[in-house]
Amino acid sequence: MKVVIATGNPGKLKEFKRILSPYGVEVLSQSQAGVQLDVEETGTTFEENALLKAQAVFAATGLPAIADDSGLVVDALDGAPGVYTARYAGEHATDDENIQKLLANMQGVGERSARFVSAICYVWGEEKSLTTRGECEGSIGFTKRGDGGFGYDPIFMVGEKSFAQLSAEEKDAISHRGKALRLFLEAFGRLMEEK
């Protein structure tokens, strides 16, 4: 089965391929499917934004599409950066600029609990969609640690390690996206049985 991943983020695309390929899913990037969309994320929740992106890619390609909208929710910042995670320091901010802004906003903050959230949406037809959500609890570190992963991984701590210090297998086992994708695969399997 072929699906188009509705993202321009190479880190996310790599994770999707790694997690979905053992299930016989052929993952295509938008460019491999002949489109390059940058969908405006006007939703107020991760689920709404994931649906917008998956619907747009499905409409453009005619192929089933999977979109992920994910982000970092920091309790001491009233849930920020939330749905603005990728553009926290500005519309075209780099990962490092986003991290620096977050660390600056967390200066002097003792309570550093946070979670990564991922909403996965699969669209395979008009008015046909399936959405799952995964979360990973952790905390915000004080400095960057590790050189793996992407985004906020170097400052998102799970126990004594940052996401950037985990192997791909360790991260997939506990990550928000890994959890959301496993829930998706369970629901997708049931959906296929019903057909």
Side-chain angles (χ1 to χ4, degrees):
M1 180 182 114
K2 290 183 181 179
V3 298
V4 183
I5 306 300
T7 186
N9 183 319
K12 281 188 184 182
L13 186 63
K14 189 175 177 181
E15 283 190 5
F16 272 110
K17 282 185 178 180
R18 187 172 66 238
I19 293 169
L20 292 174
S21 63
Y23 295 91
V25 177
E26 184 183 345
V27 172
L28 302 176
S29 67
Q30 288 188 74
S31 58
Q32 289 171 316
V35 296
Q36 196 54 50
L37 301 176
D38 190 11
V39 179
E40 192 175 351
E41 297 178 17
T42 56
T44 59
T45 66
F46 297 115
E47 287 83 358
E48 287 173 4
N49 284 333
L51 178 61
L52 287 170
K53 291 186 278 190
Q55 284 176 328
V57 169
F58 170 77
T61 65
L63 291 169
I66 297 177
D68 154 85
D69 195 55
S70 55
L72 184 61
V73 175
V74 181
D75 294 324
L77 301 178
D78 297 322
V83 294
Y84 303 104
T85 294
R87 50 195 187 276
Y88 189 49
E91 196 59 41
H92 300 288
T94 65
D95 290 346
D96 200 50
E97 289 167 339
N98 285 329
I99 286 172
Q100 293 312 316
K101 178 174 180 178
L102 182 62
L103 289 176
N105 288 343
M106 293 292 287
Q107 278 192 329
V109 175
E111 173 50 48
R112 301 178 78 84
S113 60
R115 69 207 46 82
F116 265 128
V117 176
S118 171
I120 306 274
C121 183
Y122 171 62
V123 171
W124 69 96
E126 294 294 325
E127 304 296 318
K128 292 184 178 179
S129 66
L130 167 71
T131 303
T132 58
R133 178 184 175 109
E135 297 187 10
C136 180
E137 295 290 332
S139 63
I140 303 301
F142 292 89
T143 59
K144 289 169 41 172
R145 294 172 60 181
D147 55 9
F150 61 96
Y152 295 81
D153 287 359
I155 61 166
F156 185 74
M157 304 298 295
V158 179
E160 298 298 313
K161 288 185 174 182
S162 77
F163 257 17
Q165 292 174 303
L166 300 177
S167 70
E169 294 75 24
E170 289 172 321
K171 183 181 175 186
D172 290 347
I174 64 169
S175 79
H176 53 306
R177 192 167 299 110
K179 289 176 182 176
L181 274 169
R182 284 188 291 278
L183 290 170
F184 162 74
L185 289 165
E186 287 174 24
F188 179 74
R190 289 192 300 272
L191 196 66
M192 292 297 102
E193 288 169 11
E194 291 168 12
K195 287 188 174 181

